Amino acid sequence: QQQLNQSASRNGQLEERTLKMQQLEESLHSLQQDKARLMAENASIVATFEQHQRATNEKLAMLEQAKSQLADAFKALSADALSANNQSFLLLAKNTLGQFQEAAQVDLLQRQKSIHEMLTPVQQTLKDVDGNLKEMEKERASSYLGLRQQVVDLIVAQKELRNETGNLVKALRTPHVRGQWGEMQLKRVVEIAGMLPRCDFIEQGSVEGDKGRIRPDMVINLPGNRTIIVDAKAPLAAYLDALEAPDETTRQEFLADHARQVRSHIRSLSQRAYWDQFPSAPDFVILFLPGETFFSAALEKDPSLIESGVRERVILATPTTLIALLRAVSYGWRQETIALNTQLISDLGRDLYKRLHDLGSHLSRVGKSLGTAVESYNHAVGTLERRVLVTARKFQTLDTNLSQEDLAQTPGIDATPRSLSAPELLFVPEEAQEVA
């Protein structure tokens, strides 16, 4: 009941708030209509004021013109006539003009007062608009300061990025760092291709060769106990110098030096003769360059690098081409696995078929044994009913303490075991019988 009361109270409060909201909306609509009406009246009053101002100015101009004309007319009269009436006429004109100016001044002040009263709401509205504009200006200034700070932070981050890039370039100029980076890129490429170290390739394998202990960067296992040798090289010194070259001529010289370094790596790798140290490897080795740009820059200056590598039994590979090669190797491993699984399935099928023959033999023997048991059971039931029970019922005719209940009849079994009909189960090979 308390929850119902609370719910009813909340519903009442909600209806009351909804009613207040509707009243506020109606008041707001009415205020908007009053504002529009006041703005229209203000415009009408301003137009009327301007019209009366123009009319007053025209009257004053006419008075000035009339005064000038009267003065000219008086000057045109004769000196004697004017001297007699000039003073009185001027006094009369002055009084008349003064009265007219006073009336016009009073009317103008009244109109100015009315216009001021009507313009007061407009002035207040303009003040409110000016206040809102000042607040917006403050917000804009604050936003501008925030944007400026973000730009400053971006400039600082850009400087830090430039410094870090410079440090990275300096690190890549170090031979052992370049080697580690090349090996890391090689490992990354192999992981992307799905050839993980625990599955399909041996990382940092080494053997004893004619020239001492040699260590390729990677030995990739192939199906059929075959291998592919991969050696990673990162000739970056001349390439980085070319990127920082001040002019095109110097850049071309550094790129030519970069191509010579790649050719030198091909020759050095060919002399190691990995295919002689790894009998299961083909008669070539893969030279891995950890960047597409390194390979394209070298080919730009020396297009014969690929042919030279083939003659030296060294195949140049970039991340893209090596991934394609590793995907092909991975596909070969999958086909090898499928073939092994197919052989296992074939062996399991033969074994299962043989065991089905054995099971059919056992089921046949069980069926025969069940038939013999049913026949023996039926003979026992017949003996029980025809010989044993006939003699046992004679006890009921005698005066004994035996129970008078009739001995229960023992039913016979008419059902026979179902014979096997499947030919696979009826035919039992000799080897299955020996196993059984």
Side-chain angles (χ1 to χ4, degrees):
Q1 183 66 30
Q2 185 178 359
Q3 291 181 353
L4 292 175
N5 294 333
Q6 291 178 355
S7 176
S9 178
R10 290 176 182 174
N11 292 333
Q13 292 177 359
L14 180 61
E15 293 177 356
E16 183 179 357
R17 291 180 181 176
T18 303
L19 182 59
K20 289 183 179 180
M21 182 63 70
Q22 293 177 355
Q23 293 176 355
L24 290 175
E25 290 179 353
E26 293 176 357
S27 299
L28 177 60
H29 182 67
S30 177
L31 290 174
Q32 290 177 349
Q33 291 180 349
D34 293 341
K35 179 181 177 181
R37 179 178 56 77
L38 289 175
M39 290 179 67
E41 292 179 357
N42 182 31
S44 175
I45 292 171
V46 170
T48 305
F49 173 75
E50 292 177 352
Q51 183 178 1
H52 285 293
Q53 185 69 29
R54 288 195 298 269
T56 302
N57 292 333
E58 290 177 358
K59 290 180 180 180
L60 291 175
M62 290 176 63
L63 288 176
E64 292 294 335
Q65 184 178 4
K67 182 177 179 181
S68 177
Q69 290 177 357
L70 288 174
D72 293 339
F74 288 143
K75 288 179 181 179
L77 294 175
S78 62
D80 295 337
L82 289 175
S83 60
N85 298 322
N86 187 27
Q87 189 66 28
S88 60
F89 181 77
L90 289 176
L91 181 61
L92 179 61
K94 183 178 180 179
N95 293 333
T96 304
L97 291 174
Q99 293 176 359
F100 183 79
Q101 288 180 350
E102 289 178 358
Q105 188 70 23
V106 171
D107 184 60
L108 180 61
L109 291 175
Q110 291 179 353
R111 292 184 179 181
Q112 288 179 348
K113 184 177 180 181
S114 300
I115 293 171
H116 178 72
E117 291 177 354
M118 287 186 294
L119 291 179
T120 297
V122 178
Q123 184 179 6
Q124 184 64 35
T125 303
L126 292 176
K127 287 182 180 180
D128 296 339
V129 172
D130 184 63
N132 293 332
L133 290 176
K134 289 180 179 179
E135 292 295 331
M136 292 176 63
E137 183 65 20
K138 290 180 181 179
E139 293 179 359
R140 187 191 65 81
S142 177
S143 301
Y144 176 76
L145 291 176
L147 180 61
R148 182 177 181 182
Q149 183 62 36
Q150 291 180 0
V151 172
V152 171
D153 295 340
L154 181 61
I155 293 173
V156 173
Q158 185 70 21
K159 291 180 179 179
E160 293 178 355
L161 179 61
R162 187 182 298 111
N163 294 333
E164 293 297 330
T165 304
N167 295 333
L168 178 60
V169 171
K170 291 178 182 178
L172 289 177
R173 291 182 183 276
T174 306
H176 72 278
V177 174
R178 291 201 304 268
Q180 292 176 357
W181 179 68
E183 294 173 1
M184 180 181 66
Q185 289 294 100
L186 178 60
K187 183 176 180 180
R188 178 60 178 160
V189 166
V190 174
E191 289 177 352
I192 292 175
M195 300 283 286
L196 298 176
R198 62 179 179 271
C199 296
D200 300 323
F201 67 93
I202 303 173
E203 189 177 6
Q204 295 296 340
S206 59
V207 297
E208 293 291 340
D210 297 337
K211 300 181 181 180
R213 191 173 183 84
I214 59 176
R215 189 199 68 178
D217 290 320
M218 189 166 292
V219 179
I220 303 174
N221 296 322
L222 297 176
N225 296 323
R226 305 289 290 176
T227 58
I228 294 179
I229 310 301
V230 181
D231 206 333
K233 300 295 180 183
L236 295 178
Y239 180 78
L240 294 176
D241 292 335
L243 294 179
E244 299 175 356
D247 51 50
E248 184 63 23
T249 302
T250 307
R251 177 177 174 275
Q252 295 299 326
E253 292 176 355
F254 283 127
L255 288 178
D257 189 20
H258 172 64
R260 285 193 294 271
Q261 291 179 4
V262 174
R263 182 178 289 276
S264 176
H265 284 302
I266 293 175
R267 189 177 302 108
S268 174
L269 192 58
S270 176
Q271 292 174 357
R272 296 184 183 182
Y274 282 122
W275 46 85
D276 294 335
Q277 312 303 327
F278 292 84
S280 60
D283 59 347
F284 66 88
V285 64
I286 295 177
L287 173 58
F288 174 71
L289 297 176
E292 308 289 340
T293 55
F294 310 147
F295 186 41
S296 60
L299 284 180
E300 182 181 354
K301 300 303 297 181
D302 190 356
S304 63
L305 283 176
I306 297 178
E307 291 79 1
S308 299
V310 173
R311 287 194 300 270
E312 298 287 344
R313 298 183 181 182
V314 177
I315 306 300
L316 293 173
T318 61
T320 302
T321 56
L322 185 59
I323 287 175
L325 175 62
L326 293 175
R327 287 299 180 97
V329 173
S330 178
Y331 178 77
W333 274 111
R334 288 197 297 270
Q335 295 301 316
E336 181 74 10
T337 303
I338 291 173
L340 291 176
N341 291 336
T342 303
Q343 184 63 35
L344 291 175
I345 291 171
S346 177
D347 296 340
L348 289 175
R350 287 195 296 270
D351 190 20
L352 178 61
Y353 193 79
K354 178 177 175 298
R355 294 184 182 184
L356 285 174
H357 282 303
D358 298 342
L359 179 61
S361 175
H362 296 319
L363 289 175
S364 179
R365 291 176 183 177
V366 169
K368 292 178 180 179
S369 299
L370 288 175
T372 303
V374 169
E375 185 178 359
S376 299
Y377 174 81
N378 290 332
H379 287 314
V381 170
T383 301
L384 175 64
E385 291 179 348
R386 289 192 300 272
R387 300 180 63 82
V388 178
L389 291 179
V390 172
T391 303
R393 289 191 179 98
K394 293 179 179 181
F395 284 100
Q396 295 179 353
T397 60
L398 300 177
D399 187 10
T400 63
N401 294 327
L402 295 177
S403 174
Q404 298 300 318
E405 295 180 359
D406 192 8
L407 296 175
Q409 296 292 330
T410 302
I413 298 177
D414 297 332
T416 58
R418 180 177 177 179
S419 300
L420 298 176
S421 59
E424 294 86 358
L425 301 178
L426 293 175
F427 174 75
V428 181
E430 295 180 358
E431 50 182 332
Q433 294 177 359
E434 294 176 359
V435 173

